[in-house]
Amino acid sequence: DATQSNNTSAKQQSSSSSLPPRPPNPYDAIKKAIVINDNSRQNLIRLIGLKSLFAKQLPKMPKDYIARLVFDRRHKSLALLSSDPNKKDCGDDEIIGGICYRAYPEMRFAEIAFCAVSASQQVKGYGTKLMNLLKMHAVTEGIEYFITYADNYAIGYFKKQGFTKAVQMPKGRYQGLIKDYDGGTIMECYVHPSIDFTRVPETIAAQREFVLKRVRATSKSDKVIYPPLPSDFADAVGNTLPLSSRGILLPNNGSLSGSSSNVDTRSAERSLAIPGVVEAGWTVSDLLSITRGTKDADLKKHQLKGELMSLVNKVSDQQFSWCFRDPVNTEEVKDYLDVIDDPIDLRTMEKRIRKGDWYKNKHMLYSDMMRMVNNCKMYNGEGSTYYDYAVSLEKYLTSIFPKRVTAAVAAATVEGGVGGS
């Protein structure tokens, strides 16, 4: 066993040593600091510098409002610092960019209040670097979403940084915690915990090279060159089409006419007549499978995902749904799993929807919703506040789901086929 373990360790070391060295991260050379109002001299100097930067770069924002938020102890700021040693602790001169934000740890999101880069540094790409560094820091704080109100001048910047106007975070998580701003557009960014945002270009380049390397290993496109197609190729294919003579297997006893619509059929015929397509392994079935049928299926899947997410968000927005938004903390409620065999919550449903292949229809989502209701009733018992919340949720579900869905799941539950206990 010891010999086998040593051999395995040696192989792993040999494999790791054969990998090319990882290039240095350019973000390592950037001086940065998380600045809070802790009454320390250095942080107070930097907060003054951040206040001045925001006031200068955001002239429409009231200066007293900027000062109040920057110095607020609940707010933090990520500051980019000048590498010039002569500008250290010099306030305005030391700060070249910054983002002021407030985190809400219990709701796992943060609101960005101000974001600015010194005018003399904007052409150097510090705006993107600043946001990427903030995302990396946000992961350490458990932040799952960033949310902000952007004016018309800032929407383009935030879009480039991964923000979107389509807010997916349940409204109940931020409603009442952040203010609505007239003239501003609410935008959101999901912070993926396993992405290294400082190496995104490098990661994409490595993935692209990996795919190309695998393609080159099996592809003949760079080894066999066919002559260019003649100008009358389309007409010639329509008139002759010697597919069967070239050994191409046709569905439906050699006829293409009944396999799909005429448009798809003619498109498949032209594609297969191109020299090299058949040699590459393409078949009629392959070509027909990637036409309208597949596109329609993808469209329906995307539409269903949007409808399911909308239903979950509607439920999350209700006042009585706060206790259903997150999984039950089994460290605090130690006997929960002794009573409930199959726990479920809104956050788990949201993750399943985002995954894209869990829920095949609205019936499955409604079944999970009803299992959540029944779990709450079973554990808490009639007469408790949580039981009343479950009753309210059950009534609300019948108002947002189609009757055919509620009736089908109810019937299946009675028969023991679908639903939770």
Side-chain angles (χ1 to χ4, degrees), residues 258-304:
S259 60
S260 183
S261 68
N262 291 333
V263 175
D264 293 340
T265 299
R266 299 310 300 170
S267 177
E269 293 172 355
R270 290 191 180 93
S271 299
L272 287 174
I274 298 174
V277 174
V278 175
E279 289 77 2
W282 287 91
T283 66
V284 175
S285 299
D286 293 335
L287 293 173
L288 293 178
S289 68
I290 61 174
T291 53
R292 182 167 52 244
T294 302
K295 293 179 181 178
D296 290 345
D298 290 341
L299 181 61
K300 289 180 180 179
K301 184 177 180 180
H302 181 74
Q303 183 178 358
L304 176 63

Side-chain angles (χ1 to χ4, degrees), residues 318-331:
Q318 305 306 307
Q319 291 184 345
F320 52 74
S321 70
W322 66 268
C323 58
F324 301 105
R325 290 171 187 154
D326 296 298
V328 174
N329 188 340
T330 54
E331 292 184 0

Side-chain angles (χ1 to χ4, degrees), residues 191-233:
V191 183
H192 199 290
S194 61
I195 292 179
D196 186 347
F197 293 96
T198 64
R199 290 186 179 270
V200 169
E202 177 187 329
T203 302
I204 294 175
Q207 291 174 338
R208 182 176 184 274
E209 182 56 34
F210 175 80
V211 172
L212 290 176
K213 186 176 180 180
R214 297 298 296 269
V215 169
R216 293 189 197 105
T218 57
S219 174
K220 297 180 180 179
S221 61
D222 59 336
K223 304 176 182 68
V224 180
I225 300 176
Y226 294 91
L229 298 177
S231 57
D232 60 344
F233 173 78

Side-chain angles (χ1 to χ4, degrees), residues 6-22:
N6 292 334
N7 291 337
T8 302
S9 177
K11 288 180 180 179
Q12 291 175 347
Q13 292 177 0
S14 175
S15 175
S16 61
S17 62
S18 63
L19 295 175
R22 197 174 191 185

